Amino acid sequence: MKITDVDVQVVNLPLTNPFTSSFETKTGETRTVVRVRTDDGLVGWGETMWGQPVAALVRKLAQDLIGTSPFALEAFHRKQHMVPFFHGYLGYAAIAALDVACWDLMGKASGHAVTELLGGAVRDQVPLTALITRADAGGATGEALGPALAEHTVKVVSEGGFRAVKLKGTTDIDGDVRILRAIRAALPAVKLRVDPNAAWSVPDTVSAGRALEDLNLEYLEDPCVGIEGMSQVHAQVRIPLCTNMCVVRFEDFAPAMRLRAVDIIHGDVYKWGGIAPTKALAAHCETFGLGMNLHSGGELGIATAAHLAVVASTPVLNRAIDSMYYLHADDIIEPLDLNEGSLTVPQGPGLGVSVDEDKLRHYAAVNDREGDLTG
């Protein structure tokens, strides 16, 4: 079996509501979708972060797949070893798009789900985290913000069955503390987290962290910048620290361990360059006694299916993962069902999902008209 063709399209899909973090507000997602065909008629699908710049790089890297077997992934990765050095996150994302499509092909060729190829399922349901932002407050500001977001969070948890909640933090640290207190008072049993995306200084993080210690947060994610800053916070705050921003490649792992900077690391198939690197990160975390979770970069159905396969086959991924999947107004696959706050791991060969090519064409046309969404 040889790869004969790689097709790359960029799509724009809307969110059900605006999503606000400390650095942006976005109303939709731009994603790059890859279709890989083989000489025996199989089709594998991949999907990754961002739009036209990633798509251009995917098309370039795809030339190294033409004429090779989708099972020859190690050789492909070795050939691309300098791509992340020159292209950073874009490089990892482009490699991952092709990597996931090859895993989909390997599963279809062998008649096995990707989960089975990765060692078999240790779970078949994957809980998601309810993601809460200030855009959910219905226009409330000031002292009314905490009660409004607490009320909204109770509704989301009740309707969706979520057991974990993450607040996207802002530069308004005192406001974030008040919001978290209001949410905790309304939902005393829920797993609660906050992620300011490194918008806080080290002194402010220490102050806020101490003010939050009695709320029994599951973790504090990337409150400040860098391994050094996180290490200083770790020495002074008793809340576990999680990162998706200071340990983002394997070269960061040893410095973070030496400085005792983090307790939990967020993996991501698309930020770490593929499925095997994400599994390798899990092995590192288990070896060093760290927890692990998955970051969300706005995955649609194809990418979400890949994340579900990784979680299903990886014991250390035992927390409710981040996923913006449930916030999308549509999908390019037959939608995955959210039931009691969890997604069921697809069971079919490969990723186990079917792409609706009419919707793919429709949302690719939207990108042609609108360009990439940047916020």
PDB file of all heavy atoms in Angstrom, residues 272-291:
ATOM      1  N   TRP A 272       2.215  18.882  19.766  1.00  0.00           N
ATOM      2  CA  TRP A 272       3.404  18.066  20.005  1.00  0.00           C
ATOM      3  C   TRP A 272       3.838  17.284  18.768  1.00  0.00           C
ATOM      4  O   TRP A 272       4.795  16.531  18.811  1.00  0.00           O
ATOM      5  CB  TRP A 272       3.169  17.134  21.191  1.00  0.00           C
ATOM      6  CG  TRP A 272       3.250  17.863  22.496  1.00  0.00           C
ATOM      7  CD1 TRP A 272       2.295  18.661  23.054  1.00  0.00           C
ATOM      8  CD2 TRP A 272       4.362  17.896  23.399  1.00  0.00           C
ATOM      9  NE1 TRP A 272       2.737  19.184  24.251  1.00  0.00           N
ATOM     10  CE2 TRP A 272       4.002  18.730  24.496  1.00  0.00           C
ATOM     11  CE3 TRP A 272       5.614  17.308  23.404  1.00  0.00           C
ATOM     12  CZ2 TRP A 272       4.856  18.989  25.565  1.00  0.00           C
ATOM     13  CZ3 TRP A 272       6.470  17.549  24.482  1.00  0.00           C
ATOM     14  CH2 TRP A 272       6.087  18.388  25.541  1.00  0.00           C
ATOM     15  N   GLY A 273       3.121  17.441  17.671  1.00  0.00           N
ATOM     16  CA  GLY A 273       3.605  16.894  16.407  1.00  0.00           C
ATOM     17  C   GLY A 273       3.141  15.508  16.057  1.00  0.00           C
ATOM     18  O   GLY A 273       3.732  14.875  15.181  1.00  0.00           O
ATOM     19  N   GLY A 274       2.082  15.007  16.713  1.00  0.00           N
ATOM     20  CA  GLY A 274       1.561  13.703  16.318  1.00  0.00           C
ATOM     21  C   GLY A 274       1.146  12.845  17.484  1.00  0.00           C
ATOM     22  O   GLY A 274       1.282  13.215  18.652  1.00  0.00           O
ATOM     23  N   ILE A 275       0.641  11.665  17.142  1.00  0.00           N
ATOM     24  CA  ILE A 275       0.121  10.751  18.158  1.00  0.00           C
ATOM     25  C   ILE A 275       1.246  10.110  18.960  1.00  0.00           C
ATOM     26  O   ILE A 275       1.196  10.071  20.197  1.00  0.00           O
ATOM     27  CB  ILE A 275      -0.776   9.695  17.493  1.00  0.00           C
ATOM     28  CG1 ILE A 275      -2.116  10.343  17.093  1.00  0.00           C
ATOM     29  CG2 ILE A 275      -1.010   8.499  18.417  1.00  0.00           C
ATOM     30  CD1 ILE A 275      -3.058   9.435  16.339  1.00  0.00           C
ATOM     31  N   ALA A 276       2.280   9.601  18.292  1.00  0.00           N
ATOM     32  CA  ALA A 276       3.368   8.946  19.020  1.00  0.00           C
ATOM     33  C   ALA A 276       4.091   9.897  19.969  1.00  0.00           C
ATOM     34  O   ALA A 276       4.383   9.522  21.117  1.00  0.00           O
ATOM     35  CB  ALA A 276       4.349   8.288  18.041  1.00  0.00           C
ATOM     36  N   PRO A 277       4.400  11.146  19.569  1.00  0.00           N
ATOM     37  CA  PRO A 277       5.021  12.068  20.533  1.00  0.00           C
ATOM     38  C   PRO A 277       4.135  12.331  21.754  1.00  0.00           C
ATOM     39  O   PRO A 277       4.642  12.485  22.872  1.00  0.00           O
ATOM     40  CB  PRO A 277       5.233  13.344  19.725  1.00  0.00           C
ATOM     41  CG  PRO A 277       5.323  12.887  18.308  1.00  0.00           C
ATOM     42  CD  PRO A 277       4.382  11.735  18.204  1.00  0.00           C
ATOM     43  N   THR A 278       2.818  12.384  21.550  1.00  0.00           N
ATOM     44  CA  THR A 278       1.917  12.618  22.681  1.00  0.00           C
ATOM     45  C   THR A 278       1.926  11.416  23.623  1.00  0.00           C
ATOM     46  O   THR A 278       1.904  11.577  24.855  1.00  0.00           O
ATOM     47  CB  THR A 278       0.493  12.902  22.180  1.00  0.00           C
ATOM     48  OG1 THR A 278       0.548  13.959  21.210  1.00  0.00           O
ATOM     49  CG2 THR A 278      -0.417  13.343  23.314  1.00  0.00           C
ATOM     50  N   LYS A 279       1.981  10.215  23.060  1.00  0.00           N
ATOM     51  CA  LYS A 279       2.107   9.017  23.902  1.00  0.00           C
ATOM     52  C   LYS A 279       3.465   9.005  24.619  1.00  0.00           C
ATOM     53  O   LYS A 279       3.550   8.583  25.788  1.00  0.00           O
ATOM     54  CB  LYS A 279       1.952   7.761  23.047  1.00  0.00           C
ATOM     55  CG  LYS A 279       0.553   7.538  22.497  1.00  0.00           C
ATOM     56  CD  LYS A 279      -0.410   7.012  23.557  1.00  0.00           C
ATOM     57  CE  LYS A 279      -0.143   5.558  23.876  1.00  0.00           C
ATOM     58  NZ  LYS A 279      -1.199   4.993  24.769  1.00  0.00           N
ATOM     59  N   ALA A 280       4.512   9.465  23.952  1.00  0.00           N
ATOM     60  CA  ALA A 280       5.822   9.536  24.598  1.00  0.00           C
ATOM     61  C   ALA A 280       5.808  10.532  25.751  1.00  0.00           C
ATOM     62  O   ALA A 280       6.427  10.299  26.797  1.00  0.00           O
ATOM     63  CB  ALA A 280       6.896   9.914  23.576  1.00  0.00           C
ATOM     64  N   LEU A 281       5.104  11.647  25.574  1.00  0.00           N
ATOM     65  CA  LEU A 281       4.965  12.608  26.675  1.00  0.00           C
ATOM     66  C   LEU A 281       4.271  11.948  27.863  1.00  0.00           C
ATOM     67  O   LEU A 281       4.668  12.166  29.017  1.00  0.00           O
ATOM     68  CB  LEU A 281       4.178  13.824  26.204  1.00  0.00           C
ATOM     69  CG  LEU A 281       3.862  14.858  27.281  1.00  0.00           C
ATOM     70  CD1 LEU A 281       5.129  15.479  27.850  1.00  0.00           C
ATOM     71  CD2 LEU A 281       2.939  15.954  26.724  1.00  0.00           C
ATOM     72  N   ALA A 282       3.258  11.144  27.591  1.00  0.00           N
ATOM     73  CA  ALA A 282       2.565  10.437  28.677  1.00  0.00           C
ATOM     74  C   ALA A 282       3.527   9.527  29.429  1.00  0.00           C
ATOM     75  O   ALA A 282       3.480   9.434  30.669  1.00  0.00           O
ATOM     76  CB  ALA A 282       1.401   9.635  28.110  1.00  0.00           C
ATOM     77  N   ALA A 283       4.398   8.855  28.699  1.00  0.00           N
ATOM     78  CA  ALA A 283       5.387   7.978  29.357  1.00  0.00           C
ATOM     79  C   ALA A 283       6.340   8.788  30.223  1.00  0.00           C
ATOM     80  O   ALA A 283       6.701   8.369  31.334  1.00  0.00           O
ATOM     81  CB  ALA A 283       6.158   7.193  28.300  1.00  0.00           C
ATOM     82  N   HIS A 284       6.768   9.947  29.747  1.00  0.00           N
ATOM     83  CA  HIS A 284       7.612  10.825  30.558  1.00  0.00           C
ATOM     84  C   HIS A 284       6.880  11.226  31.844  1.00  0.00           C
ATOM     85  O   HIS A 284       7.474  11.182  32.946  1.00  0.00           O
ATOM     86  CB  HIS A 284       7.969  12.089  29.775  1.00  0.00           C
ATOM     87  CG  HIS A 284       9.099  11.944  28.817  1.00  0.00           C
ATOM     88  ND1 HIS A 284       9.064  11.101  27.729  1.00  0.00           N
ATOM     89  CD2 HIS A 284      10.315  12.551  28.763  1.00  0.00           C
ATOM     90  CE1 HIS A 284      10.193  11.193  27.063  1.00  0.00           C
ATOM     91  NE2 HIS A 284      10.978  12.068  27.668  1.00  0.00           N
ATOM     92  N   CYS A 285       5.626  11.632  31.705  1.00  0.00           N
ATOM     93  CA  CYS A 285       4.870  12.070  32.883  1.00  0.00           C
ATOM     94  C   CYS A 285       4.728  10.946  33.899  1.00  0.00           C
ATOM     95  O   CYS A 285       4.905  11.163  35.113  1.00  0.00           O
ATOM     96  CB  CYS A 285       3.496  12.577  32.455  1.00  0.00           C
ATOM     97  SG  CYS A 285       3.528  14.163  31.583  1.00  0.00           S
ATOM     98  N   GLU A 286       4.417   9.756  33.438  1.00  0.00           N
ATOM     99  CA  GLU A 286       4.286   8.623  34.360  1.00  0.00           C
ATOM    100  C   GLU A 286       5.617   8.306  35.034  1.00  0.00           C
ATOM    101  O   GLU A 286       5.666   8.031  36.235  1.00  0.00           O
ATOM    102  CB  GLU A 286       3.765   7.401  33.609  1.00  0.00           C
ATOM    103  CG  GLU A 286       2.292   7.489  33.254  1.00  0.00           C
ATOM    104  CD  GLU A 286       1.712   6.137  32.892  1.00  0.00           C
ATOM    105  OE1 GLU A 286       2.003   5.670  31.780  1.00  0.00           O
ATOM    106  OE2 GLU A 286       0.978   5.558  33.721  1.00  0.00           O
ATOM    107  N   THR A 287       6.708   8.352  34.276  1.00  0.00           N
ATOM    108  CA  THR A 287       8.020   8.024  34.825  1.00  0.00           C
ATOM    109  C   THR A 287       8.412   8.992  35.939  1.00  0.00           C
ATOM    110  O   THR A 287       8.987   8.591  36.962  1.00  0.00           O
ATOM    111  CB  THR A 287       9.078   8.058  33.710  1.00  0.00           C
ATOM    112  OG1 THR A 287       8.745   7.074  32.724  1.00  0.00           O
ATOM    113  CG2 THR A 287      10.467   7.762  34.268  1.00  0.00           C
ATOM    114  N   PHE A 288       8.076  10.270  35.765  1.00  0.00           N
ATOM    115  CA  PHE A 288       8.481  11.284  36.735  1.00  0.00           C
ATOM    116  C   PHE A 288       7.378  11.616  37.742  1.00  0.00           C
ATOM    117  O   PHE A 288       7.501  12.566  38.509  1.00  0.00           O
ATOM    118  CB  PHE A 288       8.951  12.546  36.013  1.00  0.00           C
ATOM    119  CG  PHE A 288      10.310  12.412  35.389  1.00  0.00           C
ATOM    120  CD1 PHE A 288      10.454  11.864  34.126  1.00  0.00           C
ATOM    121  CD2 PHE A 288      11.446  12.791  36.075  1.00  0.00           C
ATOM    122  CE1 PHE A 288      11.706  11.720  33.544  1.00  0.00           C
ATOM    123  CE2 PHE A 288      12.707  12.654  35.513  1.00  0.00           C
ATOM    124  CZ  PHE A 288      12.838  12.113  34.239  1.00  0.00           C
ATOM    125  N   GLY A 289       6.315  10.825  37.734  1.00  0.00           N
ATOM    126  CA  GLY A 289       5.256  11.012  38.726  1.00  0.00           C
ATOM    127  C   GLY A 289       4.412  12.245  38.526  1.00  0.00           C
ATOM    128  O   GLY A 289       3.835  12.766  39.493  1.00  0.00           O
ATOM    129  N   LEU A 290       4.320  12.731  37.295  1.00  0.00           N
ATOM    130  CA  LEU A 290       3.500  13.899  36.994  1.00  0.00           C
ATOM    131  C   LEU A 290       2.121  13.463  36.502  1.00  0.00           C
ATOM    132  O   LEU A 290       1.948  12.377  35.958  1.00  0.00           O
ATOM    133  CB  LEU A 290       4.155  14.753  35.905  1.00  0.00           C
ATOM    134  CG  LEU A 290       5.527  15.346  36.189  1.00  0.00           C
ATOM    135  CD1 LEU A 290       5.973  16.191  35.014  1.00  0.00           C
ATOM    136  CD2 LEU A 290       5.514  16.173  37.468  1.00  0.00           C
ATOM    137  N   GLY A 291       1.163  14.348  36.656  1.00  0.00           N
ATOM    138  CA  GLY A 291      -0.120  14.147  36.016  1.00  0.00           C
ATOM    139  C   GLY A 291      -0.061  14.654  34.589  1.00  0.00           C
ATOM    140  O   GLY A 291       0.860  15.366  34.183  1.00  0.00           O
TER     141      GLY A 291
END
